[in-house]
Amino acid sequence: MTEKYDRPLPRFYAEGSRDFYEATKRHELRIQQCAECGRFRFPPQLMCPSCRSMKSQWTQVSGRGTIHTFTVVRGYEPRSVPMFSWPAERYPIVVVIVELPDADGTHIVSNMVDCDPEALEIGMPVEVVFEDVTDEITLPKFRLVDDVSQESA
Ligand SMILES: [Zn+2]
């Protein structure tokens, strides 16, 4: 965190976003869960889409999951997307949708880190890692799980 973080940061528009990022700052992955019917949901929202309850809680999950799907971004044409006209060494960027089994299969959108994009496959096991990108914001990202024995559950 020595250099200024110059990528887009989350903004707290949506109900519950701040709660989500307060948890990641503590290096906890918490998923919003309906306090009435128990359904998990992501991204955070005010009302349960199943039972319309306004009551929710933030349930900590292990951060282990599987790759539901992913895409590899290899760069942008600077004139078409100026905000992403970063140096070539920042690419490729892997955008991933992770399925979280201990949140009833809820999907979370993130990035893969420390991986060979060419070696990724749908269904691979992953785990969350936390990147403290500013004093206020910690981003949850995912990496492949080397050891499938899940030793540190
Ligand atoms: Zn509900």
Side-chain angles (χ1 to χ4, degrees):
M1 222 190 321
T2 51
E3 64 192 56
K4 187 178 181 304
Y5 192 76
D6 64 348
R7 301 182 190 200
L9 286 168
R11 297 179 187 176
F12 302 117
Y13 295 136
E15 173 69 26
S17 291
R18 190 171 296 281
D19 300 308
F20 178 80
Y21 286 107
E22 281 175 2
T24 60
K25 194 173 172 183
R26 298 189 303 269
H27 290 197
E28 298 170 0
L29 187 63
R30 290 184 179 270
I31 303 296
Q32 192 180 27
Q33 183 178 25
C34 177
E36 300 278 348
C37 75
R39 178 174 167 171
F40 287 92
R41 57 187 193 256
F42 189 89
Q45 47 194 288
L46 195 58
M47 182 188 294
C48 175
S50 290
C51 74
R52 300 187 181 179
S53 170
M54 305 292 276
K55 297 177 185 168
S56 67
Q57 61 200 33
W58 288 87
T59 302
Q60 187 169 5
V61 297
S62 68
R64 296 225 176 198
T66 54
I67 295 177
H68 177 74
T69 191
F70 66 98
T71 189
V72 180
V73 181
R74 300 185 188 282
Y76 284 96
E77 163 58 46
R79 282 171 297 184
S80 65
V81 193
M83 72 180 292
F84 293 125
S85 59
W86 295 326
E89 62 267 21
R90 287 198 179 181
Y91 295 97
I93 295 168
V94 180
V95 179
V96 67
I97 296 178
V98 172
E99 185 173 318
L100 300 169
D102 51 0
D104 290 339
T106 299
H107 292 168
I108 180 172
V109 181
S110 183
N111 293 128
M112 290 294 295
V113 295
D114 302 331
C115 69
D116 171 10
E118 305 304 324
L120 292 179
E121 292 179 18
I122 287 170
M124 282 180 153
V126 296
E127 65 183 1
V128 72
V129 292
F130 295 98
E131 285 190 5
D132 301 312
V133 297
T134 71
D135 290 338
E136 297 300 316
I137 299 293
T138 296
L139 299 176
K141 298 188 178 181
F142 287 84
R143 67 180 172 207
L144 290 174
V145 177
D146 302 327
D147 183 348
V148 259
S149 67
Q150 311 230 341
E151 74 297 328
S152 65

